Amino acid sequence: MVFYIIGLGLGDHLDITVKGLEAVKTCKQIYLESYTSILGINRLKLQEFYGKEVIEADRECCETGIDEILQNVSIDLQNNYAFLVVGDPFCATTHTDLFLRAVKLGIKVEVIHNASIINAIGCTGLQVYRFGETVSVPFFTEKWKPYSFYPKIKANLDHNLHTLVLLDIKVKEISEENLARGKKIYEAPKFMSTQIAVQQIIESDKQLGLNSIDEKTKCFGVARVGFETQKIVSGFLHEFLDIDMGPPLHSFVICAKELHPIEEEMFQFYRNNQQKID
Amino acid sequence: MVFYIIGLGLGDHLDITVKGLEAVKTCKQIYLESYTSILGINRLKLQEFYGKEVIEADRECCETGIDEILQNVSIDLQNNYAFLVVGDPFCATTHTDLFLRAVKLGIKVEVIHNASIINAIGCTGLQVYRFGETVSVPFFTEKWKPYSFYPKIKANLDHNLHTLVLLDIKVKEISEENLARGKKIYEAPKFMSTQIAVQQIIESDKQLGLNSIDEKTKCFGVARVGFETQKIVSGFLHEFLDIDMGPPLHSFVICAKELHPIEEEMFQFYRNNQQKID
């Protein structure tokens, strides 16, 4: 019948839309994508809230097991199915791929949108229209320091645009050692903090010799956007080396060189109000 | 108590989140912002759904009357209030301004996020991270043809980024003639179609002599995103001069010069499937 791909939004189980919840309640099977990030979402809490079983679809499932699920959906002419995604369904390539696989099998797909960090970053007061390309900062290692994200930040600064910086998440990773030994032992999840991100950003600027950022670069750190414990802090780049944003998930914004008056006012507001803002 | 600023999402009354709905139900007064765009939302339908009165807050109210509302909220220590916004609360400067005015009065503000076109444009299959600055195309008149949006499209193309093009909306406008006569007669609402937008984009490129676009420029037209009648069409720029996307609201995307494999696949999919996709 219908294969729903439903965005859960950014906070907890109550951030699903009413339309999404109604759809879920018609479904025979419900999968929760747990590959990209499910921090605020507890599978058991969802089960309780929906009154239905929720099956975790992890990285492995998303990359390989999904075809079997879709095959079963495509031959079931009686029932609906749901695939739940934190944030908005199309904010990860994996889910676009899922959409394509489903429609190719002749499955009727309906997408139910929700908030994602891409638009919720407006909570900083920066105009969402003035953001340039989004960048992702990966964890640097001793041997692997990919500075390739950095020229995008420079390009945005050169065009007087803000940059949303997404920070690396490592979920269900297997260490090289265990991989070599064929042992499927998952490492503990790892979430990059704004402090690490800022260190790496400053290092990248120096190593590439671009001098695009300095002590006057205005920034926002955001943590747990959409959660009750949401935290928004504004400040100058180097200050963030010492600002602890608390538990994950963190994101970061490097502001355009010129702020519009309301943006500037919001910058001052979050600089002077560094307590929790619900 | 709490002044909620709640995003209603992109479709109808069922696109509010469960959290948003619960908040609305605790409120003494509920305002619906009707200045930017309330196409899918019917105030009476909302009233029926909430079982509460919903007061329309139009352009005038948002710009001038809002202070009175906030004054009343700030002295009421017993009740919650809600301000409903189509899409996400922070996707218009007006609402950031509202947030600031409220917090300055010492009001406790809570924001409940939702989908907006800024992230839901991912429905095209284009990666949301690869969008550059968003541009807005205003209606050209005989005397007023502001081409200033166009260089932003060129800059995005030069950086191999997609451009989300938002199309002009004229709601509750008073004609120059009536304004001069002091007559408060509103013109009928006017929504730009993708056809007009493409005409103006091509004109701007020619007039500025930039030659950034041609017959091979890939584009997406989207209409009524998040509605049941949602339509997504892909094609080459000039083809859109003849494509009727149906009733408003329309948006448009000019793709980066190079598409990633999954983006290309989605482009082909919507080119070959130009019927309604729910």
Side-chain angles (χ1 to χ4, degrees):
Chain A
M1 301 271 292
V2 180
F3 181 67
Y4 292 103
I5 307 180
I6 301 173
L8 296 180
L10 291 170
D12 58 27
H13 59 287
L14 297 176
D15 286 296
I16 193 170
T17 65
V18 174
K19 194 175 278 172
L21 183 60
E22 285 183 0
V24 162
K25 290 193 169 163
T26 70
C27 290
K28 183 184 172 193
Q29 263 170 7
I30 303 161
Y31 296 92
L32 169 65
E33 188 266 0
S34 69
Y35 166 25
T36 47
S37 156
I38 53 161
L39 271 175
I41 299 290
N42 180 304
R43 188 178 64 86
L44 299 176
K45 190 95 187 180
L46 285 187
Q47 288 197 158
E48 192 190 317
F49 184 55
Y50 301 153
K52 288 186 169 231
E53 192 195 0
V54 174
I55 303 158
E56 197 178 313
D58 62 10
R59 183 174 185 159
E60 252 167 276
C61 171
C62 286
E63 285 174 357
T64 59
I66 200 70
D67 281 327
E68 201 182 312
I69 294 171
L70 291 177
Q71 280 294 347
N72 290 335
V73 173
S74 71
I75 53 170
D76 185 345
L77 304 176
Q78 305 293 324
N79 299 291
N80 296 338
Y81 292 80
F83 192 86
L84 311 178
V85 175
V86 170
D88 186 64
F90 281 116
C91 284
T93 312
T94 329
H95 310 139
T96 308
D97 184 55
L98 175 70
F99 172 87
L100 274 171
R101 289 185 198 210
V103 293
K104 277 183 196 162
L105 287 168
I107 297 168
K108 185 178 179 197
V109 181
E110 286 191 22
V111 172
I112 298 179
H113 290 287
N114 211 318
S116 67
I117 190 67
I118 291 287
N119 69 339
I121 195 64
C123 65
T124 53
L126 299 173
Q127 291 176 20
V128 287
Y129 313 115
R130 290 191 69 205
F131 279 78
E133 186 173 9
T134 303
V135 311
S136 295
V137 179
F139 277 114
F140 287 180
T141 65
E142 276 300 309
K143 292 178 192 164
W144 191 66
K145 294 177 191 288
Y147 300 134
S148 53
F149 70 87
Y150 191 76
K152 298 176 186 176
I153 295 178
K154 178 180 159 44
N156 287 339
L157 284 166
D158 289 347
H159 286 86
N160 205 21
L161 299 175
H162 310 306
T163 307
L164 170 61
V165 184
L166 302 178
L167 312 189
D168 205 358
I169 297 171
K170 294 209 176 298
V171 184
K172 291 215 171 176
E173 301 266 331
I174 301 171
S175 69
E176 279 182 30
E177 210 170 79
N178 282 324
L179 208 61
R181 288 183 190 161
K183 285 188 184 170
K184 213 163 121 186
I185 301 168
Y186 297 120
E187 301 292 300
K190 232 177 121 188
F191 301 94
M192 188 184 286
S193 66
T194 52
Q195 286 168 295
I196 297 292
V198 169
Q199 280 171 28
Q200 294 192 178
I201 288 168
I202 293 172
E203 177 182 336
S204 304
D205 183 65
K206 270 193 199 140
Q207 292 297 325
L208 298 178
L210 292 175
N211 297 313
S212 297
I213 47 174
D214 57 32
E215 287 71 22
K216 288 176 180 165
T217 304
K218 289 175 180 166
C219 298
F220 279 86
V222 298
R224 303 172 301 286
V225 172
F227 291 47
E228 271 188 42
T229 61
Q230 172 177 307
K231 188 170 179 175
I232 302 174
V233 179
S234 62
F236 296 100
L237 182 69
H238 293 71
E239 293 173 341
F240 280 94
L241 291 169
D242 300 316
I243 296 173
D244 179 3
M245 296 294 294
L249 207 66
H250 298 180
S251 300
F252 197 67
V253 178
I254 297 175
C255 299
K257 283 184 182 156
E258 292 159 33
L259 296 185
H260 290 184
I262 289 196
E263 293 180 325
E264 181 62 36
E265 219 177 317
M266 287 291 274
F267 180 83
Q268 295 304 334
F269 173 72
Y270 281 114
R271 198 160 164 69
N272 298 319
N273 291 266
Q274 300 201 353
Q275 74 276 26
K276 179 185 122 183
I277 310 288
D278 285 322
Chain B
M1 299 270 291
V2 181
F3 182 66
Y4 291 104
I5 308 180
I6 302 173
L8 296 180
L10 290 170
D12 58 27
H13 59 287
L14 297 175
D15 286 296
I16 193 170
T17 64
V18 174
K19 194 176 279 173
L21 183 60
E22 285 184 359
V24 161
K25 290 193 168 161
T26 69
C27 290
K28 183 185 173 193
Q29 263 169 8
I30 304 161
Y31 296 91
L32 169 65
E33 189 265 358
S34 68
Y35 166 24
T36 47
S37 157
I38 54 160
L39 271 174
I41 298 290
N42 180 304
R43 188 177 64 86
L44 300 176
K45 190 93 188 182
L46 285 187
Q47 288 197 158
E48 191 189 317
F49 184 55
Y50 301 153
K52 289 186 169 229
E53 191 194 2
V54 174
I55 303 159
E56 197 177 312
D58 62 11
R59 184 173 185 158
E60 254 167 274
C61 170
C62 287
E63 287 175 356
T64 59
I66 201 71
D67 281 327
E68 201 182 313
I69 295 172
L70 291 178
Q71 280 294 347
N72 290 335
V73 173
S74 71
I75 54 172
D76 184 345
L77 304 177
Q78 304 294 325
N79 299 290
N80 296 338
Y81 293 79
F83 192 85
L84 310 178
V85 175
V86 170
D88 186 63
F90 281 116
C91 284
T93 313
T94 329
H95 310 138
T96 309
D97 184 56
L98 175 70
F99 172 86
L100 274 171
R101 288 184 198 211
V103 293
K104 277 181 197 164
L105 287 168
I107 298 168
K108 185 178 179 197
V109 181
E110 286 192 23
V111 172
I112 298 178
H113 290 287
N114 211 317
S116 66
I117 190 68
I118 292 286
N119 69 338
I121 196 63
C123 65
T124 53
L126 299 173
Q127 290 176 20
V128 288
Y129 314 116
R130 289 191 70 206
F131 279 77
E133 187 173 8
T134 303
V135 310
S136 294
V137 179
F139 277 114
F140 287 180
T141 65
E142 278 300 307
K143 294 177 190 165
W144 192 65
K145 293 177 191 290
Y147 301 134
S148 54
F149 70 87
Y150 191 76
K152 298 176 184 174
I153 294 177
K154 178 180 159 44
N156 287 339
L157 284 166
D158 289 347
H159 287 85
N160 205 22
L161 299 175
H162 311 306
T163 307
L164 170 61
V165 183
L166 301 178
L167 311 190
D168 205 358
I169 297 172
K170 293 210 177 297
V171 183
K172 292 216 172 176
E173 299 267 332
I174 301 172
S175 69
E176 279 182 30
E177 210 171 80
N178 282 325
L179 207 61
R181 288 182 191 162
K183 285 187 183 170
K184 214 164 125 185
I185 301 167
Y186 297 120
E187 301 291 299
K190 232 177 120 188
F191 301 94
M192 189 184 286
S193 67
T194 51
Q195 287 168 295
I196 298 292
V198 169
Q199 280 172 29
Q200 294 191 179
I201 288 168
I202 293 172
E203 178 182 335
S204 304
D205 183 66
K206 271 193 198 139
Q207 290 298 324
L208 297 178
L210 292 175
N211 297 313
S212 297
I213 48 173
D214 57 32
E215 286 72 22
K216 287 175 181 165
T217 304
K218 289 175 181 168
C219 298
F220 279 86
V222 298
R224 303 174 300 286
V225 172
F227 291 49
E228 271 189 42
T229 61
Q230 171 175 311
K231 188 171 178 175
I232 302 174
V233 179
S234 61
F236 296 100
L237 182 69
H238 292 72
E239 293 173 343
F240 281 93
L241 291 169
D242 300 316
I243 295 173
D244 180 3
M245 296 294 293
L249 209 66
H250 298 179
S251 299
F252 196 68
V253 178
I254 297 176
C255 299
K257 283 184 181 155
E258 292 159 32
L259 296 185
H260 291 183
I262 287 197
E263 294 180 324
E264 181 63 36
E265 219 177 319
M266 287 291 274
F267 181 83
Q268 295 304 334
F269 173 73
Y270 281 114
R271 197 160 165 68
N272 299 319
N273 291 264
Q274 301 200 352
Q275 74 276 26
K276 179 186 122 184
I277 310 287
D278 285 322

